[in-house]
Amino acid sequence: MECGIDEMKYPDKKFVGSYMFNSYRKHEILLLPIEILHKLPIAKSWEEIDSVVTENNIIRSVMN
């Protein structure tokens, strides 16, 4: 509600309680503060692909 996302403003969207519902994932959409998000590394050349895949896998395992 603090973000102004409610059923009145988005009447064509489904809500569960006060949360907007993601119909693809069958779950509520949770909004996170930008401060806790981390940019994922992106390979800028073919040589960087292996190291970026490794780093992404490490981040994924830590988060899971």
Side-chain angles (χ1 to χ4, degrees):
M1 296 192 127
E2 290 177 30
C3 296
I5 301 172
D6 60 22
E7 294 178 80
M8 298 292 286
K9 200 175 247 183
Y10 298 93
D12 58 325
K13 302 294 181 188
K14 181 179 177 183
F15 280 76
V16 173
S18 60
Y19 295 101
M20 189 180 286
F21 190 76
N22 181 339
S23 58
Y24 297 106
R25 308 272 294 178
K26 308 294 185 217
H27 207 276
E28 297 90 355
I29 296 174
L30 301 177
L31 302 176
L32 302 173
I34 192 104
E35 294 83 15
I36 68 168
L37 299 178
H38 185 280
K39 288 185 179 181
L40 293 176
I42 298 172
K44 296 179 182 166
S45 68
W46 288 104
E47 292 79 24
E48 295 178 352
I49 290 176
D50 288 336
S51 63
V52 168
V53 167
T54 301
E55 190 170 348
N56 282 338
N57 286 338
I58 290 169
I59 293 169
R60 185 178 294 116
S61 68
V62 168
M63 295 304 293
N64 288 336

